[in-house]
Structures are given as structure tokens and as C-alpha cells.
Amino acid sequence: MTVINEKFVVNTKGHTDIIDITKNVQNSVYRHSLQNASVLVYVAGSTVSITNIEFEPGVLVDLFEALERVIPTGIEYHHDATWHDGNGYAHVRAAIVGNSTSVPLIDGALQLGTWQQIVLVDFDNRPRTRTVHVQIVY
């Protein structure tokens, strides 16, 4: 088994900023000309997530509104009482969405659906610079 580690940086606006990183991941993977592998996409941080979604304006609004209904920004969180940074909601959202996704590479192509993209969602209440790790195992 061989492991290749790649990474790239994404600058965000925060506040549930949803960024399509599919091309970045494809570039990280395809530069190695592999045929079959497991690809893990991971972001470190407790207020940021990686997931898959159709990256189109309507569903991006739907995701934002759904998260706002379930984990609203305008209420007090115990985390805020501890750190006074006002981003308790961001920690909860990130914990629920998760910080990684796996995509198989089969016959040289990442196996994403026609309308499926890999996205980074930064929930923090300020702009951030995030490092995305792509680990390829074959």
C-alpha cells in the first residue's frame, strides 16, 4: 500500500461560506496518473466541514437555511460563555456535518455523481485560511 499526501489552502469569508473545492481535489489526485485508489479529503478545524452537495445556488441557500433552523446563530451556546467568541453554533454545525469525505478513484476518475461536488463549509464567524488535506491510498 502506498500513501500520497497533498494539500491546498482555501481562504473563506466565514459565516457558513460554502466553497466548491472539487477542482482542487481533482488536481491533487489527477497529477499522479493513478487508476484506482481511495481518496480522503479532510480539513482540520472545529468550525469547518467537508461534504458533498450539488453546488447550485438554490441548494446552497437550502443548506444554509436548514442549518439556521436546526442550529441557529442568534442564540447563546455554552461554548460562548466559556470563550466569549460567539461561534458556539459553528462548532455544533461542524460536528454534525463532519470534517471529511471519501471518494473512490476508479479507472482514473473520481467517482462523483453528475451533480455532486466536494465542498468546504466554513461556519466560523470570521474569515479564515483553511488547509485541506487530500490523502490518496493505492
Side-chain angles (χ1 to χ4, degrees), residues 18-57:
I18 305 170
I19 301 169
D20 183 355
I21 61 169
T22 307
K23 293 287 184 208
N24 304 76
V25 174
Q26 288 171 328
N27 290 340
S28 295
V29 173
Y30 293 161
R31 81 175 85 230
H32 299 285
S33 301
L34 300 172
Q35 288 299 299
N36 297 292
S38 294
V39 178
L40 173 70
V41 183
Y42 171 86
V43 63
S46 61
T47 58
V48 63
S49 291
I50 298 284
T51 192
N52 304 83
I53 197 167
E54 180 179 350
F55 192 80
E56 72 77 23

Side-chain angles (χ1 to χ4, degrees), residues 36-115:
N36 297 292
S38 294
V39 178
L40 173 70
V41 183
Y42 171 86
V43 63
S46 61
T47 58
V48 63
S49 291
I50 298 284
T51 192
N52 304 83
I53 197 167
E54 180 179 350
F55 192 80
E56 72 77 23
V59 79
L60 299 181
V61 171
D62 292 338
L63 177 60
F64 177 83
E65 289 177 351
L67 288 165
E68 189 61 31
R69 282 190 300 273
V70 176
I71 309 158
T73 54
I75 66 171
E76 286 292 319
Y77 290 85
H78 297 286
H79 170 81
D80 299 333
T82 302
W83 296 107
H84 309 287
D85 54 5
N87 70 351
Y89 72 93
H91 290 275
V92 175
R93 288 180 181 187
I96 289 173
V97 176
N99 59 1
S100 67
T101 190
S102 294
V103 182
L105 178 75
I106 300 174
D107 297 329
L110 285 171
Q111 298 301 296
L112 294 169
T114 302
W115 307 113

